[in-house]
Amino acid sequence: MALAAVVEDSDFERDAAAREVRWTKQRLFGGRRGTIAFDAIQEVFLEIRSERSDSGLSRSRDARVFLRTREGALAMGSSNLDVKTARDAVALPLLTLLGRSPSALVERGPGTRL
């Protein structure tokens, strides 16, 4: 039963005409949904994580894309992506829809500059 609370499926739809992001987060037992107006999005940021392999010989980096509004931060998706995909396929196109420069993307985590 504890696993059911952790497994989550997320879906985000960016609607340029309505100028909003519609989202749903489904769990085995229930879910949530909502909309965020483009104007309410204060920041788009990547949370970058770094992990060493079990042997300690290699390191992997992955990322999650977050939207920050006045109410808090919302992860766009329930799993991590490789950093390039998170940046180039998710975050930067969203910033373009928002009418913001790619330089507005904030990256947080190991090896990033704040």
Side-chain angles (χ1 to χ4, degrees):
M1 189 75 147
L3 181 61
V6 176
V7 177
E8 181 177 84
D9 185 28
S10 300
D11 184 47
F12 286 80
E13 181 182 334
R14 297 165 284 223
D15 187 335
R19 298 202 38 82
E20 66 185 16
V21 174
R22 287 187 289 278
W23 59 272
T24 59
K25 291 187 175 265
Q26 294 293 322
R27 292 188 174 167
L28 189 57
F29 301 107
R32 301 179 301 150
R33 66 181 54 221
T35 59
I36 303 172
F38 283 2
D39 291 341
I41 299 171
Q42 297 173 331
E43 179 181 54
V44 176
F45 69 91
L46 294 183
E47 179 184 83
I48 298 176
R49 300 176 188 190
S50 180
E51 274 188 8
R52 283 202 181 277
S53 66
D54 289 340
S55 68
L57 298 176
S58 64
R59 179 179 293 275
S60 65
R61 289 178 37 142
D62 55 24
R64 290 179 76 186
V65 180
F66 284 81
L67 303 179
R68 179 172 308 286
T69 67
R70 199 176 76 240
E71 289 79 30
L74 179 68
M76 292 187 72
S78 55
S79 61
N80 295 332
L81 302 168
D82 66 87
V83 175
K84 182 174 177 36
T85 299
R87 181 186 301 118
D88 297 346
V90 180
L92 293 178
L94 179 58
L95 284 170
T96 299
L97 277 177
L98 295 174
R100 299 183 191 164
S101 164
S103 65
L105 180 61
V106 176
E107 296 185 10
R108 298 186 175 130
T112 62
R113 289 183 235 148
L114 297 176

